[in-house]
Each structure stands twice: as C-alpha cells, then as structure tokens.
C-alpha cells in the first residue's frame, strides 16, 4: 500500500490569495488625509494611512524604538519621493511602502498589502520582504 501524498501548499504570492485573506477595514473616504487610523487585521494591530495623493498604506502599529503602539498617531510626510510616517515618540521615520526605518536601515516594521475595491480599503497579508 502506497501512502497518500499530501496536496501541495497553496501559492503564497499576492496574486494567488483567496478573498478571505483580504480583510475589509473601512471606506477610503473615512480615512483622513495624512493621518493614521488603527485596525485589528488578521489578529495584528495595523496602522493605516491615506496620503495626499490618495495612496493607502498599512504598517504594523508598533514603534520598535519606543516599544509602544503609536505609529498611527505619527506625522505623515515625504522625504524626496519616499512617503513616510514619523513616530510621535522619538520621531524615527518609516517608509510607508516597505516599513523600513529611514533613520536606521537595520530596523523596520511590518508592512501589509493594501488595495481599494469600490471605495473599501482591504488589507492583505504581511509583505514577504517586510520586517
């Protein structure tokens, strides 16, 4: 008797994710421009930001320097072409696209896939190249 071969694991890229992996959070119109909001997504505290050009980003809300969940209360801005949020505690800036700290390249926070469908912000899984 030959043992059963388990099925292969599902693909993990964003293009192959099931709809259940995209969690609706709010309507994009409810997000204040250049301000953060918090949400519990996939069991994680997420900071969600809408920038002046209507891009929406999601980062982990925990500031690794202050060891506090405060990034959603940070200051949103740009350095060159890089959108960032500066922590309200120690002012370290984090790239909204990747979660990388702009002041210390050895530090980053998780970043998450985001898409807007019919005006609703959906947050997906943690990006694989993020912290």
């Amino acid at each position: 008797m030959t043992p059963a071969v388990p099925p292969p694991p599902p693909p993990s890229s964003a293009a192959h994710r099931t709809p259940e992996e995209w969690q609706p959070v709010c309507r994009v119109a409810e997000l204040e421009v250049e301000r953060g909001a918090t949400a519990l997504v996939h069991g994680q505290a997420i900071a969600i930001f809408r920038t002046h050009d209507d891009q929406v980003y999601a980062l982990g809300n925990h500031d690794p320097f202050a060891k506090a969940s405060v990034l959603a209360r940070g200051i949103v801005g740009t350095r060159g072409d890089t959108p960032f949020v500066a922590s309200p505690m120690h002012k370290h800036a984090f790239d909204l696209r990747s979660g990388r700290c702009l002041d210390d390249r050895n530090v980053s926070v998780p970043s998450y896939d985001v898409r807007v469908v019919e005006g609703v912000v959906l947050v997906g899984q943690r990006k694989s190249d993020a912290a």
Side-chain angles (χ1 to χ4, degrees), residues 1 3 18 20 45 48 54 57 59 61 72-75 82 85 88 92-93 97-98 105 108-109 123 128:
M1 179 175 188
T18 62
E20 297 82 36
I48 301 168
D54 277 336
Y57 301 96
L59 298 179
N61 193 36
R73 295 186 291 154
I75 300 167
T82 304
V85 60
H92 289 95
R97 300 168 300 181
S98 66
R105 293 287 180 188
S108 61
V109 296
V123 176
S128 59

Side-chain angles (χ1 to χ4, degrees), residues 33 39 48 54 65 85 88 94 103-104 112:
V33 175
I48 301 168
D54 277 336
F65 294 101
V85 60
F94 296 91
D103 304 309
D104 183 340
Y112 295 84

Side-chain angles (χ1 to χ4, degrees), residues 10-82:
S12 60
S13 71
H16 295 94
R17 292 192 175 142
T18 62
E20 297 82 36
E21 292 178 333
W22 291 95
Q23 184 171 332
V25 175
C26 63
R27 300 198 63 79
V28 71
E30 296 172 318
L31 294 172
E32 290 187 54
V33 175
E34 306 290 319
R35 299 281 182 168
T38 57
L40 189 62
V41 179
H42 305 299
Q44 301 296 314
I46 306 292
I48 301 168
F49 303 93
R50 178 179 167 199
T51 57
H52 64 88
D53 56 358
D54 277 336
Q55 295 294 310
V56 180
Y57 301 96
L59 298 179
N61 193 36
H62 188 262
D63 177 348
F65 294 101
K67 301 191 184 325
S69 294
V70 295
L71 288 184
R73 295 186 291 154
I75 300 167
V76 175
T78 56
R79 280 190 191 171
D81 293 334
T82 304

Side-chain angles (χ1 to χ4, degrees), residues 74-123:
I75 300 167
V76 175
T78 56
R79 280 190 191 171
D81 293 334
T82 304
F84 73 92
V85 60
S87 172
M89 301 292 284
H90 299 295
K91 311 300 184 224
H92 289 95
F94 296 91
D95 186 330
L96 289 173
R97 300 168 300 181
S98 66
R100 300 260 181 241
C101 181
L102 300 177
D103 304 309
D104 183 340
R105 293 287 180 188
N106 296 317
V107 178
S108 61
V109 296
S111 64
Y112 295 84
D113 293 322
V114 175
R115 64 183 184 186
V116 177
V117 177
E118 298 179 0
V120 176
V121 176
L122 304 171
V123 176

